[in-house]
Amino acid sequence: MSGAQNLAAAFRQLDDALTTAQFPLPLYGADRLRTLTVTLGQQLRDHLMPRADRLDAPLLAVVGGSTGAGKSTLVNSLLRAQVTRPGVLRPTTKSPVLVCHPDDEEWFRSDNVLPGLVRTDTQLHDSRALHIVTFPDLPPGLAVLDAPDIDSVDDANRTLARQLLLAADLWLFVTSAARYADAVPWDYLATAAERNTVVSVVINRCPPGAVDEVAGHLAQMLAERGLAAAKLFAIVERALPDDGLLPLGDVAGIRQWLVALASQTEARSQVAVQTLAGTVRSLDGELQELADGMRRQQEALSELHDDAARAHREAADAVDRATGDGTLLRGEILARWQDLVGTGEFMRSVEQRISALRDRISGWFTGDQRIEAVEVAISDGLAAVLRDAGERAAEGTAAAWSHTRWGRDILAAEPGLAVPSPGFEQAAEDAIRAWQSDVLRLVEEQGRGKRMRARFLALGTNAVGAALMIYAFSLTGGLIGAEVGIAAGASVLAQRLLEAVFGEDAVRRLAQQARAELSARVDGVLAAELSRFTDVLGALAVDDEAPARIEASRVALRSAARDAFDDLTKPVGMD
């Protein structure tokens, strides 16, 4: 492929990559990056891709400037005809007007240039409609576009004005003697200087006695800001005749400059390549800025994800501690267990109790409603622990997220995240009941052996299961003070009862397995709660490959630029 074809291909690659550029979090500079992404995409489709595809296509000269600078009057005066309607009311909402030679009409009516604007044959009160006027007296090879005000109070007008100027091969920038030092025009002219855009500045409505002074000051300002090569034209302030056109002599210099550009193929090509090359040069830093901005988005989202995961992991750890250090072996659970095994003898020698148990093991627990009371107490106690952990996980995540503006924005949009989900309480209770069923299944499977079958059947699945739960709750130890004797006694009694049925080795294995099953159930419930946060973050997620795609497009564009431009016009700093 030729250099220009490689450049066009690089532009298309970049256009595809820009579709993945997202900045969902309100990080510093995110608004600018969102605007930059849209602007770059429009510029690629409006100007860069069509110009790279056809360097010999007609030039587009956009007439831009401030409100009341006289842009439409200047366009009409250059053409010596009323082709565009000057605005009277503010804000002026009207469709931009593109004037071209009939030979160039097909190019500008196609989607090659400004594809996002609807073509119309009438000037409308619609800034997204492009009014196309064919004008035989305008030389072929050059179109003039009357753009909206760059400082319009209407957002759509301002946005379109910028889009049109960035789609131009050259600017005819109009200001006035009263406003040429305003900040907004110079923001635009700084962009033109940065991109080496071909610019002509028209200072309109100069006081008759101050033309040289005003023009001289403006020329100095242009030179100081990197626009010394810009053409400068000054027009004296005067009352307009009935036809509303400036005298021909006032615009003769501008007409001659435009006609010379249109009539000379080499001059047109030089303008097109200069603006194209300058724009490509400016893209390098902007694309790096986009890639860096997306990485910051990914890092911020990852931090939010880590905060949520940490809070829910800590909640799971809290449940694990509470169900393994004996904390549960007090209160209602302990009371119901004592009722079951006999409170009067509870603090006596454990060995004596187990011996007595072996003598009368048959029917001891069979059909005892106190077993159900133990199971209910365990279920209620565990569910309360899990509910408390879920509440702390939600509150902890919300507290961590509230440390950043973007985290606060998410919480404001999703206030329900700061508390457990509506179904969490029921899910916690269901998980605990399911775990109790898991424990009963474990003891049933272990009790199928012939040697232990008699003991197991005598006690019953539920009684043995309750004992296993009690023992599992003290597996890691941790109680201190007066609770040690009570809880330890309850745990040891459960352990001895289980050992009498299954044997010592099997009991510890069963307890560890029961705790593992409980952890899995708890993790499942908390994972569902965590998913509320990760789902929100997932909807905001930045494509993992997006920064790399932008970087690859940047490298491809630099390479294509080296091939496409000669040494004179090759972008500085792109080697």
Side-chain angles (χ1 to χ4, degrees):
M1 290 191 295
S2 67
Q5 289 172 325
N6 284 332
L7 184 59
F11 283 145
R12 286 189 287 271
Q13 178 182 343
L14 174 57
D15 191 35
D16 288 340
L18 285 176
T19 62
T20 65
Q22 295 178 333
F23 306 91
L25 300 183
L27 306 183
Y28 176 77
D31 287 341
R32 167 184 149 67
L33 294 176
R34 293 187 198 103
T35 300
L36 178 60
T37 301
V38 173
T39 299
L40 289 179
Q42 290 175 333
Q43 192 172 16
L44 283 165
R45 295 182 290 275
D46 291 347
H47 174 237
L48 298 177
M49 290 193 290
R51 178 55 66 193
D53 283 332
R54 272 198 59 186
L55 288 173
D56 62 342
L59 295 179
L60 178 61
V62 173
V63 182
S66 302
T67 300
K71 299 183 297 297
S72 298
T73 299
L74 177 64
V75 171
N76 291 335
S77 300
L78 289 170
L79 301 173
R80 311 314 296 169
Q82 293 285 349
V83 296
T84 180
R85 183 178 67 252
V88 177
L89 302 178
R90 297 289 181 261
T92 302
T93 302
K94 61 178 185 177
S95 55
V97 179
L98 186 149
V99 186
C100 64
H101 189 276
D103 291 349
D104 298 329
E105 180 181 10
E106 181 180 355
W107 172 255
F108 290 108
R109 283 200 180 274
S110 71
D111 287 339
N112 292 313
V113 181
L114 300 169
L117 299 184
V118 177
R119 272 51 172 173
T120 177
D121 294 321
T122 305
Q123 193 166 11
L124 306 173
H125 289 283
D126 184 351
S127 61
R128 302 307 301 179
L130 180 62
H131 178 206
I132 296 182
V133 178
T134 56
F135 196 74
D137 291 343
L138 183 68
L142 174 70
V144 177
L145 195 157
D146 181 18
D149 303 329
I150 60 172
D151 56 356
S152 172
V153 297
D154 183 83
D155 290 342
N157 279 355
R158 290 198 310 275
T159 300
L160 181 58
R162 181 171 184 81
Q163 178 184 349
L164 295 175
L165 284 168
L166 294 179
D169 294 296
L170 62 98
W171 293 10
L172 195 58
F173 202 82
V174 185
T175 186
S176 65
R179 302 192 60 185
Y180 71 87
D182 289 357
V184 174
W186 284 104
D187 288 342
Y188 276 84
L189 290 171
T191 298
E194 179 186 352
R195 301 187 178 198
N196 199 27
T197 303
V198 178
V199 179
S200 173
V201 179
V202 178
I203 183 166
N204 198 9
R205 298 169 182 162
C206 293
V211 173
D212 292 342
E213 180 182 357
V214 172
H217 184 225
L218 179 55
Q220 179 184 352
M221 294 179 71
L222 289 168
E224 289 172 350
R225 290 162 174 77
L227 289 167
K231 292 282 185 179
L232 178 59
F233 300 98
I235 299 176
V236 177
E237 183 175 20
R238 66 178 80 243
L240 296 178
D242 292 341
D243 62 5
L245 303 180
L246 294 166
L248 181 59
D250 287 359
V251 297
I254 306 172
R255 280 173 55 92
Q256 291 171 3
W257 179 65
L258 292 174
V259 169
L261 287 179
S263 60
Q264 300 175 25
T265 303
E266 183 176 348
R268 289 204 311 273
S269 176
Q270 184 177 359
V271 168
V273 172
Q274 177 182 329
T275 299
L276 184 63
T279 302
V280 170
R281 179 190 61 196
S282 71
L283 291 180
D284 194 67
E286 292 174 334
L287 296 180
Q288 183 65 62
E289 189 178 356
L290 289 181
D292 291 343
M294 279 186 284
R295 292 191 183 96
R296 289 194 297 273
Q297 290 277 327
Q298 290 174 329
E299 290 169 359
L301 286 165
S302 179
E303 288 175 1
L304 293 177
H305 188 282
D306 290 347
D307 288 338
R310 184 184 309 109
H312 287 78
R313 183 171 60 251
E314 290 173 352
D317 290 344
V319 175
D320 186 65
R321 288 192 300 273
T323 57
D325 63 4
T327 299
L328 285 172
L329 296 183
R330 55 189 173 186
E332 187 68 16
I333 293 178
L334 180 59
R336 300 287 73 79
W337 175 247
Q338 289 176 337
D339 287 344
L340 179 62
V341 298
T343 55
E345 300 177 353
F346 184 72
M347 297 302 296
R348 296 178 184 173
S349 170
V350 171
E351 292 299 332
Q352 291 177 359
R353 172 169 290 282
I354 292 301
S355 177
L357 261 176
R358 288 170 180 156
D359 293 339
R360 54 189 180 88
I361 196 169
S362 176
W364 186 41
F365 290 123
T366 304
D368 198 321
Q369 293 183 349
R370 289 174 295 179
I371 298 174
E372 182 179 352
V374 174
E375 293 173 334
V376 170
I378 290 173
S379 176
D380 291 346
L382 272 178
V385 169
L386 182 49
R387 285 196 302 270
D388 181 65
E391 290 171 1
R392 282 184 290 167
E395 292 169 358
T397 303
W401 283 17
S402 66
H403 291 162
T404 64
R405 175 190 165 192
W406 43 95
R408 291 192 295 271
D409 283 357
I410 295 174
L411 292 172
E414 301 283 349
L417 291 176
V419 295
S421 65
F424 172 67
E425 183 172 346
Q426 185 62 53
E429 293 173 0
D430 291 344
I432 297 307
R433 283 195 291 270
W435 173 69
Q436 289 178 303
S437 296
D438 294 337
V439 173
L440 297 181
R441 173 182 50 79
L442 286 176
V443 298
E444 282 183 348
E445 291 175 352
Q446 188 67 29
R448 289 172 184 167
K450 292 181 179 179
R451 294 179 60 186
M452 63 186 71
R453 188 171 180 81
R455 294 174 178 174
F456 179 76
L457 290 177
L459 289 170
T461 300
N462 290 66
V464 177
L468 181 56
M469 295 174 202
I470 295 295
Y471 175 56
F473 291 157
S474 62
L475 201 58
T476 61
L479 284 180
I480 60 174
E483 292 176 319
V484 172
I486 299 174
S491 174
V492 170
L493 180 58
Q495 179 182 0
R496 294 293 184 265
L497 188 152
L498 292 169
E499 289 176 353
V501 177
F502 299 126
E504 182 177 348
D505 292 340
V507 169
R508 190 163 188 84
R509 176 178 54 78
L510 285 172
Q512 290 174 341
Q513 192 170 352
R515 289 190 53 75
E517 297 274 6
L518 178 58
S519 295
R521 294 292 184 180
V522 169
D523 289 346
V525 175
L526 292 178
E529 289 297 288
L530 175 60
S531 68
R532 298 185 303 141
F533 296 89
T534 57
D535 287 348
V536 169
L537 296 179
L540 299 172
V542 176
D543 187 341
D544 290 342
E545 301 300 322
R549 290 187 63 183
I550 294 293
E551 288 281 11
S553 298
R554 174 172 168 259
V555 171
L557 187 56
R558 294 177 65 175
S559 177
R562 285 194 294 265
D563 296 338
F565 304 125
D566 58 25
D567 291 339
L568 180 62
T569 58
K570 182 168 58 178
V572 177
M574 295 285 289
D575 290 324

